[in-house]
């Protein structure tokens, strides 16, 4: 199949899918500070210690040039990165949960100079460039791709929380773990003030239980596979219920049916039903990471030349581009060969749109698998180079000097 035909497949697929534009479900679009964008999880060697690197992005489409105020993490949102180990992976149950809570203060409120807050020492938490790339505008607005494509997230920032977890804290590296993230808000209480017989609103930072408003695991699942009727339900539930509530969306993906009917005139019936391969990725919706491999290859500037090149052997297409790792605990596709990136973890730079499209139009249930593609949206790298040291995500866009595609 020609690259032009594959691009056409991608256009129709992603147009129907509502790909990862960071607007996963209707209700969460009204709450940007709690709106999850992407979750990352991959194996690296940090200061001589084999570690699982995790990261959660929130607050999509931050305009770098705003002022005089700026974007912040929300003090009334609980940000959590969850890790499942052992039997909890198949059950979709968090074994460990890492919490990020914020308390915004100003050293001096009698000035307009609020941007510099001093040095903040975390596990990294702060603003970064949006490292997701794809020609979402062309798909949503024109229902056709451009050549070359334009990165619709280009020029925008997000807020990122990143955490390095030594694998020794997780029980060692001879295992598969699962990673997902959630955001929750305080439930606001309305109380009666007996002094003046008036109702008063008790601030969410003072009382009320946490109520989950969003979650994120693998890219594209809620955006691309779950029907509108269940998108908000997905945001409020946990992966423990995925097998019961959402499995059919992966087993019989509507998108695969649309591709077959619209693009291939019904010539690919093998992609429409019984997609145990797709369910294996998305159900439960945890990013599965094989900890037994060597550290993964990292993206740099999108090429293997010039300053800050990609690691040798890195491919944005992961296994579809020949970028593989060797597992010590699973057979993989033979001799332990498994993907070097998503869906084995997710790295900064993984072209999740192209990988997902290629997987959906292929048949990974047979041996050898039938690979159709790779398919593409003509956007093959981020607009800003990634870092190859913690926190890995690209440096934030400069508010004084930036542009959008």
């Amino acid at each position: 199949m020609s690259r032009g035909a594959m691009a056409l497949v991608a256009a129709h697929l992603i147009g129907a899918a509502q790909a990862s534009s960071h607007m996963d479900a209707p209700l969460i679009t009204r709450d940007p500070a709690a709106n999850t964008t992407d979750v990352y999880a991959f194996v690296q060697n940090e200061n001589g210690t084999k570690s699982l690197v995790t990261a959660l992005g929130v607050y999509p489409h931050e305009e770098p040039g705003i002022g005089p105020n700026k974007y912040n993490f929300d003090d009334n949102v609980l940000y959590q990165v969850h890790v499942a180990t052992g039997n909890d992976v198949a059950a979709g149950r968090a074994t460990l949960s890492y919490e990020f809570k914020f308390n915004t203060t100003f050293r001096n409120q009698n000035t307009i100079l609020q941007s510099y807050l001093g040095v903040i020492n975390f596990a990294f938490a702060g603003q970064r460039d949006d490292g997701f790339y794809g020609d979402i505008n062309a798909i949503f607005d024109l229902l056709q791709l451009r050549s070359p494509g334009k990165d619709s997230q280009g020029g925008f920032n997000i807020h990122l929380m990143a955490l390095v977890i030594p694998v020794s804290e997780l029980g060692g590296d001879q295992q598969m773990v699962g990673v997902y993230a959630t955001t929750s808000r305080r439930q606001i209480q309305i109380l009666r003030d007996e002094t003046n017989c008036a109702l008063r609103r008790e601030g969410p930072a003072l009382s009320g239980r946490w109520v989950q408003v969003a979650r994120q695991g693998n890219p594209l699942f809620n955006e691309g596979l779950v029907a509108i009727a269940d998108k908000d339900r997905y945001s409020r539930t946990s992966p423990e219920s995925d097998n019961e509530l959402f499995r059919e969306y992966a087993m019989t993906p509507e998108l695969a049916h649309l591709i077959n009917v619209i693009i291939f005139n019904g010539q690919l019936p093998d992609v429409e039903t019984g997609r145990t391969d797709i369910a294996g990725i998305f159900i439960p919706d945890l990013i599965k990471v094989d900890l037994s491999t060597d550290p993964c290859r990292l993206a740099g500037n999108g090429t293997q030349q010039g300053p800050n090149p990609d690691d040798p052997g890195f491919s944005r297409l992961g296994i579809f581009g020949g970028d593989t790792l060797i597992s010590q605990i699973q057979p993989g596709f033979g001799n332990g060969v498994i993907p070097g990136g998503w869906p084995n973890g997710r790295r900064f730079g993984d072209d999740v749109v192209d990988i997902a499209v290629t997987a959906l139009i292929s048949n990974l249930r047979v041996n050898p698998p039938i690979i159709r593609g790779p398919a593409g949206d003509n956007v093959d790298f981020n607009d800003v180079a990634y870092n190859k040291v913690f926190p890995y995500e690209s440096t934030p866009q400069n508010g004084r000097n930036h542009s959008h595609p």
Side-chain angles (χ1 to χ4, degrees), residues 309-359:
D310 297 344
D311 284 350
F314 172 87
S315 172
R316 63 183 178 85
L317 298 171
I319 195 169
F320 295 129
D323 185 347
T324 61
L325 294 168
I326 301 299
S327 171
Q328 300 179 39
I329 59 174
Q330 57 177 322
F333 291 95
N335 299 318
V337 174
I338 61 173
W342 188 65
N344 172 42
R346 182 184 177 186
R347 306 167 295 183
F348 294 101
D350 282 342
D351 194 336
V352 295
V353 172
D354 287 15
I355 294 171
V357 169
T358 302

Side-chain angles (χ1 to χ4, degrees), residues 39-43 52-54 82-93 170 175-181 215-219 221 225 234 239-240 242-243 247 250 276-293 296 325 327 329-330 338-347 350:
V39 173
Y40 300 88
F42 52 92
V43 175
L52 173 68
V53 178
T54 63
H82 308 279
V83 181
T85 65
N87 295 332
D88 288 341
V89 178
R93 181 171 53 243
L170 302 174
Q175 62 172 319
M176 181 87 70
V177 299
V179 178
Y180 74 104
R215 71 166 159 123
Q216 189 86 31
N218 288 285
F221 182 59
L225 297 185
Y234 171 92
E240 293 179 76
D242 286 349
N243 193 58
R247 184 178 182 82
T276 53
D277 50 346
I278 302 302
I281 295 172
F282 291 110
I283 305 298
D285 190 20
L286 311 169
I287 298 179
K288 288 85 172 180
V289 190
D290 189 326
L291 299 184
S292 74
T293 70
C296 68
L325 294 168
S327 171
I329 59 174
Q330 57 177 322
I338 61 173
W342 188 65
N344 172 42
R346 182 184 177 186
R347 306 167 295 183
D350 282 342

Side-chain angles (χ1 to χ4, degrees), residues 74-336:
D74 195 321
D75 295 355
N76 296 314
V77 172
L78 172 63
Y79 304 93
Q80 293 179 289
V81 173
H82 308 279
V83 181
T85 65
N87 295 332
D88 288 341
V89 178
R93 181 171 53 243
T95 309
L96 300 167
S97 297
Y98 299 86
E99 298 184 350
F100 291 80
K101 296 179 182 177
F102 298 91
N103 181 24
T104 302
T105 60
F106 297 94
R107 292 182 179 180
N108 181 6
Q109 296 191 48
N110 297 316
T111 177
I112 63 171
L113 302 176
Q114 63 159 312
S115 294
Y116 179 69
L117 301 179
V119 177
I120 303 174
N121 295 312
F122 291 109
F124 179 84
Q127 193 177 55
R128 308 302 284 177
D129 168 71
D130 188 343
F132 171 80
Y133 55 94
D135 196 346
I136 303 302
N137 287 340
I139 296 159
F140 285 175
D141 297 339
L142 306 177
L143 298 179
Q144 60 182 3
L145 295 179
R146 296 171 280 200
S147 183
K150 295 183 178 181
D151 180 6
S152 300
Q153 273 68 38
F156 289 104
N157 290 327
I158 59 167
H159 266 55
L160 186 84
M161 291 152 281
L163 183 66
V164 172
I165 308 170
V167 298
S168 59
E169 293 186 8
L170 302 174
D173 67 352
Q174 297 300 295
Q175 62 172 319
M176 181 87 70
V177 299
V179 178
Y180 74 104
T182 59
T183 57
S184 303
R185 276 200 174 276
R186 289 279 196 189
Q187 186 179 55
I188 298 173
Q189 294 184 352
I190 303 297
L191 304 177
R192 178 173 293 278
D193 188 333
E194 299 297 340
T195 302
N196 56 19
C197 297
L199 293 178
R200 60 186 174 88
R201 179 178 181 268
E202 188 161 325
L206 301 177
S207 67
R209 65 185 181 93
W210 292 110
V211 177
Q212 182 178 310
V213 295
R215 71 166 159 123
Q216 189 86 31
N218 288 285
L220 308 173
F221 182 59
N222 196 24
E223 305 95 317
L225 297 185
V226 176
I228 294 173
D230 277 334
K231 288 186 182 297
D232 290 321
R233 188 182 193 185
Y234 171 92
S235 296
R236 297 189 295 264
T237 55
S238 84
E240 293 179 76
S241 60
D242 286 349
N243 193 58
E244 174 187 358
L245 299 179
F246 306 114
R247 184 178 182 82
E248 190 57 29
Y249 289 122
M251 289 292 292
T252 311
E254 180 186 9
L255 299 179
H257 169 71
L258 294 174
I259 295 170
N260 190 28
V261 171
I262 296 172
I263 307 300
F264 297 108
N265 298 316
Q267 297 178 26
L268 298 179
D270 61 328
V271 305
E272 293 195 18
T273 60
R275 295 305 301 267
T276 53
D277 50 346
I278 302 302
I281 295 172
F282 291 110
I283 305 298
D285 190 20
L286 311 169
I287 298 179
K288 288 85 172 180
V289 190
D290 189 326
L291 299 184
S292 74
T293 70
D294 289 338
C296 68
R297 301 172 185 89
L298 297 173
N301 62 16
T303 74
Q304 293 186 345
Q305 293 84 37
N308 191 28
D310 297 344
D311 284 350
F314 172 87
S315 172
R316 63 183 178 85
L317 298 171
I319 195 169
F320 295 129
D323 185 347
T324 61
L325 294 168
I326 301 299
S327 171
Q328 300 179 39
I329 59 174
Q330 57 177 322
F333 291 95
N335 299 318

